[in-house]
Amino acid sequence: MREKVLVLDFGSQTCQLIARRVRELGVYCEIVPHDITVDKVAQNRPAAMILSGGPASVRDEKAPTMDAELLRMGIPTLGICYGLQLLTGLMGGTVEKHTGGEYGPATLEVDKPDELLAGLEDRLDVWMSHGDLVKKMPAGFETLAHTDDCRVAVMGNAEKKVYGVQFHPEVVHTPKGVEILRNFLFRIAGCGGGWTMAGFITEEVARIKEQVGDGQVICGLSGGVDSSVTAALLNRAIGEKMHAVFVDNGLLRAGEVEEIEGFFTEDFPLNMQVVDARREFLDALAGVTDPERKRKIIGKVFIDVFSRTAKGLGKIDFLAQGTLYPDVIESISASGGPSVTIKSHHNVGGLPDELGFELIEPLRELFKDEVRRLGAELNLPAKLINRQPFPGPGLAVRIIGEVTEQRLEILRAADAIVQQEMENWEGYDDIWQSFAVLLPVKSVGVMGDERTYANVAAVRVVTSLDAMTADWARLPHELLARLSARIINEAHGVNRVVYDISSKPPSTIEWE
């Protein structure tokens, strides 16, 4: 059985970052709900548990909690922020309200360089975000470090292998945070490490073969990184049993259909067919302006097209999708945790019971950077695996308001200009996503001494590591000027261009 660490989700916005840090250290981990049962944990046989932070106070009556029996199972445990306070209360200590709170950078003074802090300096920069404090530690614990405002910033019980930190080691604002996590995983929990993408491929290929058996799989192929890696992985596992279907929904970027079809029939040949469903999608979207309705409609038509195509292929038993961890997190809240739903994704939680397919989602627990590494291991070319993310609903969620043929034509032209200019810019490799958005407003302009009343396009360019957070890119003024001039002159129907300077959070990367 694969060595595994469980991260219990108490609603922290950085819970997923904890998981990424652990995986980066070569130990596989999964995020699970905070109320996971003892039996379920026992089935997982984790090498360690990490209790995440969270927005609540453990002193609140309805604060999320966990079964205290989990802390008596002998599993090495690390509590982070809220997790520290929770295990304090569950193991017999007490927590009190911090009179002022402690938010932002702080200096950690090490009192005892226990295994958790082994090899680190006596003073460490850390990042705090808490309104409660440990007043009394549980029996058997000792203070390992403090700050000026926090008497118990790190505590531990070496015998029980249970530790807690009041700061966040998973964020970049705690420079030595990864070393602390490393100490917990390898010195305290005794993890072996060695989890790699090559190992993941071996495990997933075996799992897919076992799941599929003599069955047949239909795989949604959009040409994006996620679906392409999914198809390549399935191709390695089951070959011709996988029927890749590329649906031309009429919502794709300029030249994309020809590019994808050419690549997967010539450069990286798969068992693939192209389905022209442009009219079907556009008819279903006629008159629709609400973004959630768009996503649901596109998801439904997508499934209808798949079902119909599958029937033409004979007996199909499975549907494979390139669903990623961030998709799941944003759609249904992380593993049922107490964080909020942001938006629905067309390939998450939208499958009808009567579909008749069993789902295969081999990337469901991976982040985007991990998927890119997986693609490289599968020998997919860098041009493909380094493509910027493109939403499943396509340009429909980049047209604010109704989706029509005319508005799609305008947006395609504007977006093609953004892609060309960004790819030619020397800083392109540092960009997560760059695209155009067509707004539902018109503005007055002057072109050729004539008054115009035309569309407004927004340019969105962001940097990010995993799409969980993002920041707007500080593009050179010359590049912005060139983007604006070209879009206004070449994307007929646009007379004004604006640049989106919103970060995520509070905004999302896509506008819808």
Side-chain angles (χ1 to χ4, degrees), residues 345-395:
H345 286 257
H346 81 287
N347 58 345
V348 182
L351 298 172
D353 294 335
E354 64 273 17
L355 184 63
F357 298 138
E358 184 178 336
L359 268 183
I360 296 177
E361 296 176 311
L363 314 183
R364 189 179 176 88
E365 298 295 334
L366 297 184
F367 294 97
K368 178 71 78 172
D369 58 327
E370 294 174 322
V371 174
R372 294 191 197 281
R373 294 203 301 272
L374 177 58
E377 288 284 346
L378 290 167
N379 297 318
L380 288 173
K383 181 180 178 181
L384 178 64
I385 60 178
N386 291 327
R387 289 186 73 182
Q388 292 183 0
F390 186 65
L395 297 180

Side-chain angles (χ1 to χ4, degrees), residues 82-327:
Y82 181 91
L84 158 70
Q85 297 159 10
L86 182 64
L87 70 84
T88 295
L90 293 176
M91 298 183 77
T94 56
V95 174
E96 65 180 355
K97 180 176 176 56
H98 191 318
T99 54
E102 193 174 17
Y103 304 96
T107 300
L108 192 74
E109 302 279 355
V110 176
D111 300 307
K112 182 178 180 180
D114 188 272
E115 291 291 274
L116 189 66
L117 303 174
L120 302 177
E121 296 84 357
D122 293 337
R123 293 167 60 89
L124 300 170
D125 293 328
V126 298
W127 192 73
M128 294 281 195
S129 182
H130 65 101
D132 289 336
L133 290 170
V134 173
K135 181 180 181 180
K136 177 186 175 184
M137 291 182 294
F141 281 78
E142 57 183 338
T143 301
L144 303 180
H146 70 278
T147 69
D148 289 344
D149 293 320
C150 182
R151 186 173 58 84
V152 182
V154 182
M155 71 177 195
N157 184 320
E159 182 180 352
K160 294 182 180 295
K161 296 187 177 181
V162 177
Y163 290 79
V165 295
Q166 189 57 77
F167 55 91
H168 288 268
E170 70 274 20
V171 302
V172 294
H173 309 296
T174 301
K176 295 295 184 180
V178 172
E179 295 305 312
I180 293 171
L181 291 173
R182 186 194 307 275
N183 282 341
F184 172 69
L185 294 171
F186 298 107
R187 286 178 173 269
I188 295 168
C191 291
W195 182 72
T196 63
M197 279 301 133
F200 178 84
I201 291 173
T202 301
E203 292 176 359
E204 281 301 306
V205 164
R207 188 190 63 79
I208 291 168
K209 283 181 176 179
E210 181 179 359
Q211 183 179 2
V212 173
D214 295 327
Q216 299 287 313
V217 181
I218 187 170
C219 174
L221 180 60
S222 70
V225 179
D226 309 335
S227 65
S228 297
V229 172
T230 298
L233 185 59
L234 285 162
N235 185 60
R236 176 171 293 193
I238 57 175
E240 293 291 311
K241 293 180 183 177
M242 189 268 303
H243 306 266
V245 175
F246 171 49
V247 176
D248 180 2
N249 58 13
L251 306 171
L252 301 173
R253 292 167 288 194
E256 196 159 21
V257 175
E258 295 78 12
E259 181 184 355
I260 293 169
E261 185 173 9
F263 179 80
F264 284 109
T265 56
E266 299 172 12
D267 301 327
F268 197 92
L270 297 175
N271 183 17
M272 184 189 81
Q273 73 174 91
V274 179
V275 179
D276 185 350
R278 290 175 291 179
R279 191 74 265 156
E280 192 170 346
F281 278 88
L282 291 177
D283 287 347
L285 288 168
V288 177
T289 59
D290 179 75
E292 279 298 288
R293 279 197 65 205
K294 285 183 189 176
R295 288 177 176 272
K296 295 297 184 183
I297 288 169
I298 291 168
K300 181 181 182 305
V301 177
F302 175 81
I303 294 303
D304 289 344
V305 171
F306 255 61
S307 298
R308 188 169 63 245
T309 304
K311 289 178 182 177
L313 293 170
K315 187 177 185 304
I316 296 292
D317 308 282
F318 302 90
L319 169 63
Q321 295 186 150
T323 307
L324 299 195
Y325 218 173
D327 298 339

Side-chain angles (χ1 to χ4, degrees), residues 289 294 396-402 407 437-440 511-512:
T289 59
K294 285 183 189 176
V397 292
R398 293 178 180 174
I399 292 177
I400 312 304
E402 185 180 5
R407 300 191 80 202
V437 179
L438 191 62
L439 304 187
W511 278 49
E512 290 191 342

Side-chain angles (χ1 to χ4, degrees), residues 334-351:
S335 300
S339 52
V340 298
T341 297
I342 308 299
K343 61 187 176 183
S344 63
H345 286 257
H346 81 287
N347 58 345
V348 182
L351 298 172

